[in-house]
Amino acid sequence: MLTLGLIGYGSVARGIVSAFPPDSVGWIALLREGVSPDLPANVRAVAQLDRLIDARPKAVVEAAGQAAVAAYVPALLEAGIPTVIASVGALSDPVLADRIAILRRNGGARAILPAGALGGLDYLRAIAALPDARVRYTSRKPPAAWTAELTALGLSAEHEELTLFEGTPEEATRAYPKNLNAAFAVALAAGADKVTVRVVADPKAAGNTHEIEAESAAGTASFRFTNAPSPDNPKTSALMALSLVAALGELLDTEGVR
């Protein structure tokens, strides 16, 4: 049986596990002390990183938030364990980004940054070298996805759309560490200095919508992705788990373990 690892076991991790035949994959899930979700028979929980590393999974998927990337991913890469990073917004910390880049170059273990809820990143990478390239990323979600934020601000978006934030990718990931990994995926592709991020609560939004508008000497482009929300978490697109499954599958095929 193939052994794979998880960091966290929320809605995204459950979607990943359900995509693999339970009789062919055994999972080791690193969870915080005291956390005890209902786990399928083929998922075993551990509370210490050393226990996960000792199990020698063929790969690990981080699905627990930006803090988990800083806390666990460098050690996994140092141990030679390939890792898929869902919370790419953690790389807005230049110290952490540099450390992971060095480990990727020198340690041999791969760190995979999936597209997540987006497409079109290949286009953004292509224009990144152009000095005049400018990209605007907008996260547009129904007000239900921003209930806590709207309440904290004493605002309502019941009838009209409301812009909650506009600024740089780094500012966006600090302001919304659980919700704007897609914004930093755009920044990683195009270059953070070329990207502006906007967050909109929109009562007319049909789902979790990502809009990318790009201009450069190479031309103009616009991408719009309207993703169904995760059944368990309206702030997360159901596509996120599918993207991680695809990235993990590609990693396993590249490593020759499937």
Side-chain angles (χ1 to χ4, degrees), residues 9 11-12 25 38 59 64 84 102 104 127 132 135 137 140 150 153 176 179 195 201 214 228:
Y9 199 78
S11 60
V12 171
V25 179
D38 291 333
V84 179
I102 291 170
R104 292 171 75 182
I127 67 170
D132 69 331
V135 179
Y137 165 80
R140 186 182 301 275
L150 289 166
L153 294 170
Y176 301 94
N179 311 116
V195 178

Side-chain angles (χ1 to χ4, degrees), residues 15-38:
I16 295 169
V17 169
S18 68
F20 289 81
D23 58 349
S24 65
V25 179
W27 297 86
I28 311 295
L30 177 61
L31 306 178
R32 293 192 307 272
E33 200 77 57
V35 174
S36 54
D38 291 333

Side-chain angles (χ1 to χ4, degrees), residues 58-202:
K58 293 298 183 181
V60 170
V61 181
E62 173 278 313
Q66 294 180 23
V69 178
Y72 306 122
V73 170
L76 289 168
L77 298 179
E78 286 177 343
I81 299 173
T83 304
V84 179
I85 301 174
S87 307
V88 297
L91 302 183
S92 62
D93 177 350
V95 175
L96 177 62
D98 286 347
R99 185 179 180 194
I100 288 178
I102 291 170
L103 289 168
R104 292 171 75 182
R105 286 196 302 268
N106 300 337
R110 299 180 65 196
I112 305 300
L113 308 179
L118 299 176
L121 300 185
D122 53 344
Y123 181 94
L124 300 183
R125 283 191 288 269
I127 67 170
L130 299 177
D132 69 331
R134 295 292 179 267
V135 179
R136 188 183 196 189
Y137 165 80
T138 300
S139 173
R140 186 182 301 275
K141 298 181 183 181
W146 302 113
T147 300
E149 290 81 2
L150 289 166
T151 300
L153 294 170
L155 299 173
S156 171
E158 184 178 352
H159 302 294
E160 299 291 336
E161 71 174 54
L162 181 68
T163 297
L164 296 174
F165 170 88
E166 187 160 6
T168 68
E170 292 88 350
E171 292 167 341
T173 55
R174 286 195 295 269
Y176 301 94
K178 297 181 180 180
N179 311 116
L180 285 181
N181 286 303
F184 209 74
V186 170
L188 288 171
D193 60 320
K194 297 178 172 66
V195 178
T196 300
V197 176
R198 191 164 66 115
V199 176
V200 177
D202 185 353

